[in-house]
């Protein structure tokens, strides 16, 4: 994974809440905290029952993060529009613009994310990510073989994984080159299918177009506060593209080029519409 992307243009100034806006922040924040708390406890209970019965992840524990993500977005007041259908492909790839991507994409259906290992140490978010099946990846090249093996094992078990091949978040107005190394754990002899996804954020009326982006030295706290303080919100569009198969490509680089081009096309088309 790369270091966080830094733009030549500074991020927009964060919103400074005043007066009634604090009531909105508290109201939304309490609603989200309740949803996460109840959802997390329910998930732990479901996982415990599955462990006792010796079953792998069942429908209950798989769909709980989906439910929590959808309700959280409603609490934030952030509407989403989904174009296309989520396929049965076991590997998904998407552009990465914001911490909101986790909620927006998880709301599509059951999936596990591939994330940087420092996320595991984030207060509150780390334990939730771990129990929802997140595969943590280190930046250390020495760990690449082990990580590739774990990725391959998860795919072989039939799990649906989502990668952010850019290796960094952005301002939401561009797609960075996809890193072919992110696909190092894929067994080219398997009939694996991959579905590319474009995620595009549209700022609230009158706000900087990069309003929902998260990059550079931006902290999670102020960004979260800004989203909670905004009314009305903008919106997010998710485009689920056609599935491609590994069998249609001679090597990993050809696959990565196609996925990157598809995701970039979806973003640019949406921004121009």
């Amino acid at each position: 994974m790369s270091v966080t992307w830094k733009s030549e243009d500074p991020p927009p100034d964060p919103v400074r809440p005043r007066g009634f806006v604090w009531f909105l922040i508290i109201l939304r924040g309490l609603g989200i905290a309740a949803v996460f708390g109840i959802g997390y406890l329910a998930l732990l209970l479901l996982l415990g029952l599955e462990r006792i019965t010796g079953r792998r992840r069942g429908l209950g524990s798989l769909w709980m993060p989906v439910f929590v993500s959808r309700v959280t977005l409603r609490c934030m007041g952030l509407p989403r529009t989904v174009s296309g259908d989520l396929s049965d492909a076991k590997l998904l790839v998407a552009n990465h613009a914001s911490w909101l991507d986790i909620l927006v994409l998880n709301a599509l259906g059951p999936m596990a994310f591939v994330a940087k290992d420092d996320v595991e140490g984030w207060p509150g978010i780390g334990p939730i990510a771990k129990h929802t099946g997140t595969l943590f990846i280190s930046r250390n090249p020495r760990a690449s073989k082990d990580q590739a093996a774990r990725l391959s094992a998860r795919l072989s078990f039939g799990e649906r994984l989502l990668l952010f091949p850019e290796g960094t978040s952005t301002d939401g107005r561009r797609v960075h080159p996809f890193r072919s190394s992110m696909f190092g754990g894929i067994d080219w002899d398997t009939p694996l299918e991959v579905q590319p996804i474009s995620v595009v954020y549209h700022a609230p009326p009158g706000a900087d177009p990069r309003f929902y982006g998260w990059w550079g030295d931006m902290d999670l706290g102020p960004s979260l506060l800004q989203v909670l303080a905004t009314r009305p919100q903008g919106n997010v569009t998710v485009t689920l593209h056609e599935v491609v198969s590994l069998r249609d490509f001679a090597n990993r680089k050809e696959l990565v080029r196609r996925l990157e081009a598809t995701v970039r096309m979806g973003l640019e088309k949406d921004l121009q519409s």
Side-chain angles (χ1 to χ4, degrees):
M1 304 290 283
S2 71
V3 297
T4 303
W5 172 70
K6 296 182 183 296
S7 171
E8 295 180 357
D9 299 321
D13 293 331
V15 173
R16 299 183 183 278
R18 295 179 181 177
F20 174 79
V21 175
W22 278 110
F23 175 76
L24 179 63
I25 292 172
I26 293 171
L27 186 64
R28 285 176 168 173
L30 289 175
I32 292 170
V35 171
F36 265 79
I38 295 172
Y40 186 45
L41 291 176
L43 177 62
L44 292 179
L45 176 61
L46 290 168
L47 290 173
L49 291 174
E50 289 168 5
R51 192 173 295 113
I52 292 173
T53 58
R55 296 174 54 193
R56 288 188 60 79
R57 295 288 298 274
L59 290 178
S61 63
L62 285 172
W63 278 94
M64 183 57 65
V66 180
F67 171 77
V68 169
S69 296
R70 291 177 178 177
V71 176
T72 299
L73 290 172
R74 286 186 174 273
C75 289
M76 290 179 174
L78 181 63
R80 64 188 179 96
T81 301
V82 179
S83 175
D85 298 312
L86 185 63
S87 70
D88 293 329
K90 297 308 178 185
L91 185 62
L92 311 174
V93 298
N95 59 300
H96 190 18
S98 169
W99 53 270
L100 283 165
D101 294 344
I102 305 301
L103 296 172
V104 170
L105 292 167
N106 223 345
L108 294 173
M111 65 182 68
F113 290 84
V114 180
K116 293 179 290 186
D117 57 358
D118 54 355
V119 174
E120 190 173 8
W122 288 7
I125 296 177
I128 294 175
K130 181 178 180 180
H131 284 103
T132 53
T134 300
L135 176 61
F136 297 106
I137 289 182
S138 169
R139 292 186 180 129
N140 188 347
R142 296 180 180 178
S144 59
K145 288 186 178 180
D146 174 65
Q147 290 170 167
R150 287 191 289 131
L151 174 62
S152 179
R154 295 282 290 270
L155 291 172
S156 67
F157 283 137
E159 294 187 51
R160 178 190 283 147
L161 296 179
L162 186 138
L163 284 171
F164 293 118
E166 293 166 289
T168 180
S169 56
T170 69
D171 60 1
R173 313 295 292 177
R174 70 201 69 227
V175 174
H176 284 294
F178 282 10
R179 295 171 173 266
S180 60
S181 59
M182 296 287 289
F183 298 81
I186 297 176
D187 183 357
W188 216 262
D189 294 326
T190 61
L192 183 68
E193 293 185 325
V194 187
Q195 184 169 28
I197 304 174
S198 299
V199 181
V200 185
Y201 293 90
H202 300 276
D208 189 297
R210 305 168 298 164
F211 181 86
Y212 292 109
W214 187 47
W215 74 97
D217 298 323
M218 297 174 67
D219 292 324
L220 177 61
S223 180
L224 173 61
L225 193 67
Q226 176 171 267
V227 173
L228 295 181
T230 301
R231 184 176 181 272
Q233 294 279 10
N235 62 82
V236 56
T237 301
V238 181
T239 302
L240 296 155
H241 300 285
E242 292 294 325
V243 171
V244 299
S245 173
L246 262 63
R247 291 175 173 175
D248 297 331
F249 301 90
N251 53 57
R252 186 170 61 187
K253 290 187 177 180
E254 283 189 11
L255 169 67
V256 172
R257 281 196 295 268
R258 167 69 70 82
L259 295 172
E260 179 188 326
T262 301
V263 172
R264 178 177 287 109
M265 175 198 67
L267 180 138
E268 293 177 348
K269 182 179 179 180
D270 192 284
L271 289 177
Q272 293 169 3
S273 62

